[in-house]
Amino acid sequence: MHELPFGANRHADGRTRFRLWAPAQRQVLLLIEDEAPLPMQAVGDGVFEVETRCDAGTAYRYGLDDGSSVPDPAARAQRDGVHGASLVVDPLAYRWQHPRWRGRPWHESVIYELHAGACGGYAGVAERLPQLAALGVTAIELMPIAHCPGSRNWGYDGVLPYAPQADLGEPDRLKALIDAAHGLGLMVFLDVVYNHFGPDGNHLARYAPSFFRDDVSTPWGSAIDFREDAVRRYFTHNALYWLHEYRFDGLRFDAVHAITDCGWLDEAAREIRASIGDERHVHLVLENDDNTARHLRREATGGYDAQWNDDVHHALHVMLTGEDEGYYRNFADDPARHLARCLGEGFAYQGEFSPSHGRERGMPSAGLPPQAFVAFLQNHDQIGNRALGERLSVLADEEALHAAVALLLLMPQIPMLFMGEEWGSRTPFLYFTDHHGELAAAVRDGRRREFAHFASFGTAPERIPDPNDPGTFAASIPDAAAEDAGRVRRWEGRYRHLLALRHEWLVPRLSDGRAHSHGACVRALAADVLGEKAVCARWQLCDGSRLTVATNLGGDSVGLEPPGGRLLYDSAPAATAQTPANRLPGRCTRVYLECGP
């Protein structure tokens, strides 16, 4: 159990301490359902608290000076949505079946991102775990589950960060999912959002206006004020809560470029590492559009294992689809050069001018190990933030996509898949919410304005699905049984084979066996452009072996002197067997391993 410095903390003697930071209030009442109001005592620094006897499941709210009442911003569970009563939870009620689980080292990670609601809630995800473990996945990553308004939401509209979304299942059902994953050798990561609150159900400004800045705005409203100690503790303890109380194996921090005080990131990482110690493998991953490499230097910050590498995705997407609108125009000039730099140095943009940003972006990353980057061909953003949510299985040539998958799964960067990708799903993943009234109309219209400058939608915005239509969510649920059976078998066979090769030949060579070395012994030797859509990269692995991955996503063959060593994988169909030995066929990836001494 992680003792929270706020919220409702139930003790072994049956008493519960309630604590709220409400610096704008003169008096706060604890309103327990069917009981007389209890005045809370001011204990300094804007904090109010009271202790009383109550059972798990007790419904409560906080009463404010103006006579209104609000839910607990640190509620462990919620009843009747984000505006309803909070619930007292006994964190010790669940009996863990695998309490000795200590996680897995970072270099073994093969991540599978999913939306729990689209998989049938926590119980539905648990049912899929054996299949994912058999595929070769070693970690599942849940999109945010903090309580959001309505029952259908991506999760980034959360307003109660400590309360798992009730429509997905009870808190103990979430613990059972994590427990089952651990029993199968799977890690479980959680996407957490500390850069904003959603537009409906956040009451903090009413009793703690200093939670937000009045001089800095973000796309979601006033920026959160991380200069306030209470704010920093609120989010640091949220991270510790998920890691200790639910035994998550890692966290992915959403859009940290929108956090106004980046010093908190390093502070939080140090506190998390100190709290966890060396007994468990716990992994911290960033999403940072600014490519701020300094957060990834663990020896300096104490902290983060890796960052999502959008640059890899964007370069590969342009090579596979030819698209050049939006942020893809940053890569359209020479995608192979950008990809080669990603394979050799981490980021493509390391301080250069980015056309879509209108400014310089990034910082040098060449000194970082490949495992400091999470690479992907698809994720919730890159599919769902398209107007029609199309997957690469719809947009790209199958042979070229196969070659790109082989690159993804057999290079040293940490690979991530998105649900349904492994069977070549053609089901879209659309942006969906469950807002009502004026907010629903604003979200729908804003979504359509967002794509007004795209050639495909400028004259027909009504083609873009309404996020609040229940059918939009229903259309986003992947189902292998509803797909073409031949394509499902073909793609699953490819992913299973590639991941088996990764685990047998690559993973053992990505670590020198030292605890928390994080692949620092892996280094890039070269990354060269072979053609308009072709690159070849080489790495020296921890045992002295040399890995070479040559990828050609174009239609014509390119020159390639055959590397030494064992040919681990060739994605080309048999029809290309007549290609000369010194040529790499079109739409092909070949992977070679030259074993060390």
Side-chain angles (χ1 to χ4, degrees):
M1 171 181 169
H2 177 66
E3 180 78 9
L4 297 177
F6 28 65
N9 283 274
R10 191 167 188 271
H11 298 146
D13 62 1
R15 297 182 68 81
T16 299
R17 186 203 68 207
F18 296 84
R19 186 179 286 167
L20 176 71
W21 184 59
Q25 298 296 296
R26 298 185 306 275
Q27 171 69 57
V28 177
L29 300 174
L30 173 64
L31 306 177
I32 292 179
E33 197 167 80
D34 300 326
E35 294 187 13
L38 281 176
M40 299 178 72
Q41 181 180 0
V43 295
D45 297 324
V47 175
F48 294 82
E49 73 171 43
V50 69
E51 188 171 301
T52 187
R53 184 173 297 278
C54 61
D55 296 328
T58 296
Y60 70 98
R61 297 171 66 86
Y62 294 123
L64 305 181
D65 286 341
D66 63 4
S68 66
S69 64
V70 294
D72 186 347
R76 282 179 163 93
Q78 196 68 8
R79 190 187 72 185
D80 302 326
V82 295
H83 300 286
S86 302
L87 299 175
V88 174
V89 170
D90 180 0
L92 301 179
Y94 182 81
R95 296 290 179 255
W96 292 93
Q97 301 302 302
H98 303 283
R100 297 179 183 273
W101 169 260
R102 294 295 178 261
R104 301 179 67 144
W106 177 243
H107 71 277
E108 295 181 3
S109 298
V110 175
I111 304 169
Y112 187 92
E113 187 193 25
L114 60 85
H115 184 277
C119 294
Y122 306 134
V125 175
E127 291 177 2
R128 299 186 181 205
L129 295 178
Q131 184 178 3
L132 293 174
L135 182 72
V137 166
T138 63
I140 63 168
E141 179 172 312
L142 306 182
M143 289 174 63
I145 58 172
H147 221 300
C148 295
S151 61
R152 308 177 303 277
N153 198 289
W154 270 20
Y156 299 92
D157 287 333
V159 292
L160 295 169
Y162 289 80
Q165 184 75 12
D167 297 278
L168 302 175
E170 297 176 351
D172 281 0
R173 181 67 71 177
L174 174 58
K175 291 180 179 179
L177 159 62
I178 297 166
D179 208 4
H182 292 168
L184 292 168
L186 293 170
M187 298 180 285
V188 187
F189 302 157
L190 178 64
D191 192 342
V192 292
V193 183
Y194 298 151
N195 55 73
H196 75 282
F197 290 89
D200 179 22
N202 174 25
H203 299 281
L204 279 162
R206 295 171 54 190
Y207 52 85
S210 50
F211 206 101
F212 303 94
R213 299 183 65 150
D214 57 11
D215 59 340
V216 179
S217 295
T218 74
W220 307 285
S222 297
I224 295 170
D225 194 349
F226 279 87
R227 298 171 302 181
E228 284 276 1
D229 179 66
V231 173
R232 298 165 86 93
R233 289 191 301 121
Y234 180 79
F235 289 112
T236 298
H237 279 279
N238 184 257
L240 292 170
Y241 161 77
W242 291 121
L243 295 170
H244 283 294
E245 199 158 301
Y246 282 85
R247 298 185 61 81
F248 277 98
D249 299 281
L251 302 173
R252 180 261 194 189
F253 291 70
D254 176 67
V256 299
H257 53 270
I259 293 176
T260 55
D261 184 350
C262 288
W264 172 78
L265 284 174
D266 296 335
E267 173 189 304
R270 287 191 294 270
E271 288 197 37
I272 291 167
R273 297 298 179 196
S275 177
I276 298 296
D278 294 329
E279 293 188 2
R280 290 172 58 195
H281 292 285
V282 165
H283 308 301
L284 306 178
V285 179
L286 299 175
E287 180 196 27
N288 188 345
D289 190 54
D290 288 340
N291 284 2
T292 310
R294 73 172 184 85
H295 294 302
L296 304 177
R297 303 185 190 280
R298 280 201 60 179
E299 69 281 2
T301 67
Y304 295 91
D305 297 271
Q307 178 176 311
W308 278 23
N309 197 343
D310 284 331
D311 288 3
V312 165
H313 169 272
H314 297 347
L316 283 167
H317 189 95
V318 170
M319 293 168 73
L320 286 166
T321 68
E323 293 181 359
D324 61 2
E325 292 189 288
Y327 43 63
Y328 293 130
R329 65 189 174 107
N330 300 332
F331 296 81
D333 58 334
D334 193 352
R337 175 177 61 85
H338 290 300
L339 177 61
R341 195 180 199 196
C342 288
L343 300 181
E345 301 181 19
F347 296 134
Y349 279 85
Q350 300 181 30
E352 294 79 12
F353 181 81
S354 169
S356 72
H357 292 80
R359 57 176 171 81
E360 294 178 345
R361 172 175 174 259
M363 61 174 54
S365 58
L368 293 168
Q371 290 98 301
F373 303 92
V374 176
F376 42 86
L377 285 165
Q378 303 182 80
N379 65 27
H380 76 272
D381 269 331
Q382 306 307 336
I383 303 172
N385 280 332
R386 299 177 63 83
L388 300 180
E390 306 100 324
R391 295 172 179 258
L392 283 175
S393 55
V394 174
L395 300 170
D397 172 87
E398 181 169 332
E399 288 183 18
L401 182 55
H402 179 191
V405 170
L407 167 67
L408 173 71
L409 299 184
L410 293 179
M411 68 174 180
Q413 293 191 17
I414 300 297
M416 185 176 75
L417 315 178
F418 184 67
M419 60 177 186
E421 174 183 340
E422 76 278 16
W423 69 69
S425 176
R426 297 172 69 87
T427 300
F429 186 71
L430 299 162
Y431 178 65
F432 49 82
T433 57
D434 189 13
H435 299 308
H436 301 277
E438 293 182 1
L439 178 57
V443 169
R444 180 197 64 224
D445 295 343
R447 181 74 173 171
R448 291 173 177 174
R449 282 195 303 272
E450 181 181 349
F451 293 97
H453 64 285
F454 282 76
S456 302
F457 300 101
T459 60
E462 67 279 358
R463 290 181 53 209
I464 299 172
D466 179 356
N468 298 290
D469 184 341
T472 302
F473 169 68
S476 302
I477 300 174
D479 181 4
E483 304 269 1
D484 176 80
R487 186 175 68 252
V488 169
R489 287 193 300 271
R490 186 166 63 250
W491 276 109
E492 280 191 336
R494 290 167 177 164
Y495 276 86
R496 190 183 299 267
H497 180 48
L498 285 162
L499 287 175
L501 290 174
R502 181 179 184 86
H503 290 304
E504 179 178 0
W505 294 98
L506 191 54
V507 168
R509 295 175 167 86
L510 296 181
S511 171
D512 58 8
R514 291 181 298 145
H516 310 302
S517 64
H518 293 82
C521 51
V522 179
R523 61 187 180 93
L525 299 174
D528 303 312
V529 175
L530 303 180
E532 183 181 358
K533 294 185 177 182
V535 300
C536 180
R538 293 188 299 130
W539 298 267
Q540 181 170 299
L541 306 181
C542 293
D543 66 345
S545 300
R546 295 193 174 194
L547 175 73
T548 301
V549 182
T551 295
N552 179 11
L553 303 184
D556 299 324
S557 66
V558 297
L560 174 68
E561 288 301 319
R566 175 192 182 104
L567 177 63
L568 276 188
Y569 194 76
D570 184 350
S571 75
T576 65
Q578 302 305 314
T579 304
N582 64 345
R583 305 288 294 178
L584 179 65
R587 304 182 183 92
C588 172
T589 288
R590 286 180 176 163
V591 182
Y592 302 83
L593 182 66
E594 185 176 1
C595 291

